[in-house]
Amino acid sequence: MKNKKYPYYPVAEPANLKELVLFCAKEFTEKTAFHYKENKNEIKKSFSDLKKDIEAFGTYLYSLGFRNSHIALIGDNSYEWIVAYFAIVNSGNVVVPLDKQLPVEDVAKLLKKSDSSAIVYSDAYSEVEEISGVEHIALENFENNTAKGQAIIDAGNTEFSDCVIDGDRMCAIVFTSGTTSEPKGVMLTQHNLMKDAIISSKNLLVPEGTVCLLPLYHTFGFMAGVLCQMLRGYPVFINTSLRNVLSDIKFAQPRHVAVVPMLLGVFYKQIWANVEKSGKTKLFKTMIKISNALLKVKIDLRPILFKQVIDAFGGRLEMLITGGSAMDERLVQGFRDIGIKITNGYGITECSPIVSTMRNEHFSPSSVGAIHPGVDARIVDGEIQLKGETVFSGYYKDPDATAAAFDGEWFRTGDLGEIDEDGLLYITGRLKNLIILSNGKNVAPEELEAKLIESIDEINEVVVYECNDKIAAEIYPNEDIENAEEIIKSKIVEVNRTLPSFKQIASTKFRDTEFPKTTTKKIKRNYAEAKK
């Protein structure tokens, strides 16, 4: 389905993150901002609580002497993590969010690379004690530290509230995870981040109520799970561990959830596993056929027919949001069959990070959505290039990488894509992954990988690469299926018949373990290893 452009959704427009916190406290006051489970009890924090805690923790940081300092932040998703982030940036300091899954050696390197003088950490990263040269601030002591800050405020100190935010000054250094290169420190400003929250909210209207599953150190997790929700005054349930994903979703009863593409597939497989376990596969398929026939005459019985399935997700789930690449249209249709809309998008850390999202009434399942208002895009030699108020200023202390990333004022994303006449963006691959054969033909491996995954159920994961000037594929098969490798080989023959000769898979290699991945669950492309 594809519809035409229509007006953007209205939303408040605070100038920076400090104004956002003040706006929320005034506009939504005692409404729940964040809630979570602690020792099996539900804890609720209002927007008023949030403002008070941010001011107290920020004042505590001042009491330690941190002014214009770089402060790293590491740990599990938590209310305390969110408070610390705002306290750091809204006190004029610079936050450096780090991945808690990084080994301590890498964390130490990034602290040095970012010139951090302190690290705020949760007990999920106890290894921090091994790191010297920076001050350690434990979130385990959050209540005591905010109490100290509040006492200073009560004594008449207004330094935090008096701090004037320069929206164009760097407020965050976010390291790229990178599947093929060393992490680079992306410099973002409060203006970058706030503008992205505003234009993202104008482009897509999400239903109220979510569970924050994505890691907050990742800019998309923080943008989608915190900033965009605050701007609308929506409550956010904080998931603290992926082990509790389904139980937290069932408890919190969200109406929308943002997920990585891999988790989308996990949810879908879980649905069908439950159906098969109940012995109702044939009935379920029949219900889908009947439901889809009725939808054509505008009769929607999905809430009734598939109530048991939706109840497993809390009973109110309407939308799943994902991004990064074209989606498997079988998943889009599969979730639509039971009444859950899949919304795709595209983002990159250097753009704060969201660039495009499907709109509620303007989309195409194979696209990554409509480019946000205020973001200009062009395609140069197949590469997506962007400019606008959400684009970063450069990489921290890396002028060469910064220069290479720009063509004049246009940021070179390194992603290959197309923009159609309706303004919808399509991702076709990654420039650095592009395979260039000796005959001059270009092959985007991501295109072939998506086709193989979509066409062959027996494939769990696949990486396409060049070998001896031909296209090869390394595959992690579904180990639950007997003779999976032979089935895959025969199906690849069928897929090849639909492809031009230069794109056909000439050889295959199978592996018995998953591909190594980044902490954001992207496969690390290592062609040297794949060719061994």
Side-chain angles (χ1 to χ4, degrees), residues 41-223:
N41 297 316
E42 184 182 13
I43 308 296
K44 294 184 178 182
K45 297 289 185 178
S46 69
F47 285 99
S48 179
D49 294 330
L50 178 66
K51 173 181 175 290
K52 184 177 180 180
D53 287 341
I54 290 170
E55 291 177 348
F57 198 80
T59 301
Y60 170 71
L61 291 177
Y62 276 147
S63 74
L64 297 179
F66 293 112
R67 289 167 181 79
N68 300 316
S69 303
H70 295 188
I71 302 174
L73 178 58
I74 193 168
D76 279 330
N77 286 5
S78 67
Y79 173 73
E80 293 79 8
W81 193 103
I82 294 167
V83 168
Y85 186 106
F86 280 107
I88 292 168
V89 299
N90 288 348
S91 57
N93 291 295
V94 175
V95 70
V96 185
L98 296 177
D99 178 2
K100 70 180 179 63
Q101 294 186 28
L102 289 174
V104 67
E105 299 83 6
D106 289 353
V107 170
K109 288 178 184 177
L110 294 181
L111 290 176
K112 184 176 181 180
K113 192 171 185 176
S114 62
D115 292 322
S116 294
S117 53
I119 182 167
V120 179
Y121 66 99
S122 71
D123 55 7
Y125 201 82
S126 56
E127 296 92 337
V128 74
E129 298 295 343
E130 300 177 29
I131 299 173
S132 61
V134 296
E135 183 155 351
H136 300 160
I137 303 171
L139 286 176
E140 186 179 7
N141 302 323
F142 179 79
E143 290 188 10
N144 288 336
N145 294 339
T146 51
K148 290 176 183 177
Q150 188 59 50
I152 296 170
I153 293 172
D154 292 342
N157 186 298
T158 59
E159 187 175 9
F160 184 90
S161 58
D162 290 344
C163 177
V164 177
I165 299 300
D166 180 352
D168 295 323
R169 179 176 172 269
M170 177 179 68
C171 77
I173 300 173
V174 184
F175 284 99
T176 58
S177 58
T179 58
T180 59
S181 60
E182 285 294 310
K184 297 187 288 289
V186 176
M187 298 188 291
L188 297 176
T189 67
Q190 291 216 17
H191 182 75
N192 290 149
L193 293 166
M194 196 66 252
K195 192 66 178 180
D196 198 64
I198 291 167
I199 61 179
S200 297
S201 300
K202 284 184 174 183
N203 215 44
L204 174 68
L205 181 63
V206 299
E208 182 171 356
T210 190
V211 174
C212 181
L213 303 179
L214 301 175
L216 292 174
Y217 75 86
H218 195 279
T219 316
F220 178 58
F222 188 68
M223 180 59 63

Side-chain angles (χ1 to χ4, degrees), residues 245-515:
V245 166
L246 291 176
S247 61
D248 280 355
I249 288 176
K250 192 167 185 178
F251 173 81
Q253 300 180 320
R255 292 175 65 197
H256 82 275
V257 179
V259 299
V260 294
M262 184 187 74
L263 201 53
L264 197 68
V266 170
F267 284 173
Y268 191 65
K269 287 180 180 179
Q270 186 64 48
I271 290 171
W272 278 99
N274 291 341
V275 170
E276 290 169 6
K277 188 176 180 179
S278 68
K280 298 179 179 179
T281 302
K282 186 175 180 180
L283 174 62
F284 194 71
K285 290 180 177 179
T286 300
M287 289 164 60
I288 288 174
K289 288 180 180 178
I290 293 171
S291 174
N292 285 341
L294 290 171
L295 282 173
K296 291 179 180 178
V297 292
K298 298 185 178 180
I299 299 174
D300 188 357
L301 294 182
R302 291 174 298 180
I304 299 171
L305 294 176
F306 307 110
K307 181 179 184 302
Q308 190 172 353
V309 175
I310 302 300
D311 283 349
F313 294 94
R316 303 198 312 153
L317 189 63
E318 302 171 25
M319 181 185 291
L320 288 169
I321 302 171
T322 188
S325 61
M327 289 186 296
D328 183 340
E329 293 194 30
R330 293 178 304 170
L331 288 180
V332 177
Q333 183 60 46
F335 278 106
R336 179 185 179 277
D337 287 341
I338 61 174
I340 299 174
K341 181 178 180 179
I342 304 298
T343 297
N344 201 8
Y346 165 69
I348 186 166
T349 305
E350 289 87 343
C351 293
S352 306
I354 308 176
V355 172
S356 68
T357 50
M358 287 184 178
R359 302 206 64 200
N360 301 66
E361 304 296 338
H362 179 211
F363 61 91
S364 169
S366 58
S367 81
V368 291
I371 296 165
H372 286 173
V375 176
D376 293 324
R378 71 180 186 182
I379 307 297
V380 179
D381 296 329
E383 181 188 33
I384 302 166
Q385 297 187 0
L386 304 165
K387 69 175 180 176
E389 296 176 77
T390 62
V391 176
F392 78 135
S393 57
Y395 298 108
Y396 186 67
K397 288 190 172 181
D398 196 340
D400 291 339
T402 299
F406 285 89
D407 178 4
E409 58 184 336
W410 290 88
F411 168 58
R412 302 184 58 193
T413 65
D415 289 315
L416 299 169
E418 301 170 352
I419 302 171
D420 71 11
E421 66 277 5
D422 294 316
L424 298 179
L425 180 63
Y426 299 79
I427 305 297
T428 57
R430 185 79 181 142
L431 188 59
K432 66 175 64 176
N433 299 336
L434 191 66
I435 298 169
I436 303 176
L437 301 173
S438 62
N439 60 6
K441 296 291 187 180
N442 294 345
V443 179
E446 296 89 347
E447 176 192 349
L448 292 178
E449 290 160 2
K451 189 171 186 66
L452 290 171
I453 290 287
E454 182 178 338
S455 305
I456 306 175
D457 292 335
E458 291 77 12
I459 294 178
N460 266 339
E461 297 175 349
V462 58
V463 168
V464 168
Y465 58 100
E466 179 271 331
C467 183
N468 298 323
D469 205 35
K470 293 184 179 180
I471 304 301
E474 183 168 352
I475 297 167
Y476 172 50
N478 187 333
E479 295 177 331
D480 296 330
I481 299 176
E482 191 174 350
N483 298 322
E485 293 186 12
E486 294 306 314
I487 295 171
I488 290 170
K489 287 179 181 178
S490 64
K491 288 188 175 182
I492 285 178
V493 172
E494 297 300 317
V495 171
N496 278 341
R497 289 179 180 145
T498 68
L499 297 169
S501 58
F502 69 93
K503 286 186 179 181
Q504 292 179 6
I505 309 299
S507 63
T508 55
K509 176 183 177 181
F510 291 92
R511 57 188 293 132
D512 54 12
T513 59
E514 293 183 12
F515 285 95

